[in-house]
Amino acid sequence: MSDEEDICILIADDDRIICDGLASLLNAQDGFRVVGTAINGAEALDQLAAHRVDVALLDVDMPLMSGIEVARKISSENPGVTIIMLTAFEHEESLGQAIGAGVRGFLTKDTPASELAQLIRKAYAGEQVMATRPIEILTESYVRNRYNREQYAEFIAAVHTLPEYLRPTFRLLLKALANKSISRKTGLTEATVRSYVSDILAHCGCATRGELAITAIKAGIVE
């Protein structure tokens, strides 16, 4: 490839050794040119504005702005840039947030250089690429959610059949708000709130507010 055809890469990682190491590895691969490196999210956006960037490799945990925040901004303002999260994903929530931020790839930092180069090319060509650990997280999440849906099927059905007038109080109950706070937010009297809470508990088969909140979490209920 000529310089004009090279895939131009931005690397953002708050570990300078990892950042420089990746830059050296990728610059040694045919068809790649690292045009900028950054050690925090804000610096990554500055580099993006200063250079033509085809692919952004972002770490999740960075100071000033996280990799996910940077990914959201890039997706919004520079949709032509391919975003790859290059990190050690350990938490389902981080992976879910990254997916929602328009990320094309999820790779780990220990990916060999030749394999990394191949996966970057695939992502740049429009494919979704994913390392083993993110796939494991998604699989574990699917299995867990399926088990929870089966185990808490009656509770989930009860929540779905809550009368509409009880739903605002139900949502606030899940946030562990006291009756006075629920009253203030909904405009209901405290007496009405107490009555609604009793109705919700009875409808959902729970003895206490705490049991309701814990069961909702285990059942994966998000209101």
Side-chain angles (χ1 to χ4, degrees):
M1 284 188 182
S2 67
D3 286 350
E4 291 74 18
E5 296 173 321
D6 285 346
I7 297 174
C8 295
I9 299 173
L10 166 67
I11 302 172
D13 192 302
D14 62 349
D15 187 323
R16 175 58 74 183
I17 294 175
I18 290 177
C19 202
D20 291 345
L22 282 172
S24 296
L25 288 172
L26 289 174
N27 276 327
Q29 298 292 314
D30 183 46
F32 289 121
R33 183 157 51 95
V34 176
V35 295
T37 60
I39 58 172
N40 60 60
E43 194 175 298
L45 293 177
D46 290 341
Q47 290 289 326
L48 188 72
H51 303 284
R52 180 200 124 200
V53 174
D54 300 312
V55 175
L57 295 180
L58 307 176
D59 186 25
V60 169
D61 298 313
M62 293 189 292
L64 301 185
M65 291 179 71
S66 71
I68 292 171
E69 290 175 308
V70 175
R72 289 194 186 110
K73 196 164 183 65
I74 293 175
S75 292
S76 172
E77 299 179 3
N78 301 87
V81 175
T82 297
I83 306 167
I84 298 174
M85 305 306 289
L86 188 61
T87 188
F89 278 101
E90 294 298 335
H91 303 292
E92 177 189 339
E93 60 269 22
S94 296
L95 183 56
Q97 289 168 1
I99 292 173
V103 171
R104 185 77 55 75
F106 305 91
L107 306 177
T108 51
K109 295 179 183 181
D110 58 354
T111 305
S114 58
E115 182 182 346
L116 179 61
Q118 182 181 18
L119 292 171
I120 289 174
R121 288 191 181 94
K122 287 184 177 181
Y124 183 60
E127 295 183 37
Q128 188 81 36
V129 297
M130 196 169 291
T132 302
R133 181 55 188 152
I135 292 173
E136 289 175 349
I137 290 175
L138 288 178
T139 302
E140 290 164 2
S141 173
Y142 173 79
V143 171
R144 183 172 59 254
N145 289 339
R146 182 176 179 181
Y147 172 77
N148 286 348
R149 283 195 300 271
E150 293 171 352
Q151 185 178 13
Y152 295 99
E154 289 185 12
F155 178 83
I156 293 170
V159 171
H160 287 164
T161 57
L162 267 175
E164 192 62 37
Y165 73 92
L166 292 177
R167 291 188 176 278
T169 301
F170 175 76
R171 285 192 289 268
L172 296 173
L173 273 178
L174 295 190
K175 295 180 180 179
L177 294 187
N179 286 354
K180 182 177 289 188
S181 297
I182 295 175
S183 173
R184 188 167 58 250
K185 287 181 175 293
T186 59
L188 301 169
T189 67
E190 286 191 53
T192 300
V193 170
R194 282 195 297 271
S195 175
Y196 282 11
V197 170
S198 295
D199 291 345
I200 291 168
L201 294 177
H203 187 87
C204 294
C206 296
T208 66
R209 302 156 71 107
E211 182 186 351
L212 178 77
I214 291 171
T215 305
I217 291 170
K218 290 181 177 179
I221 295 293
V222 178
E223 277 278 326

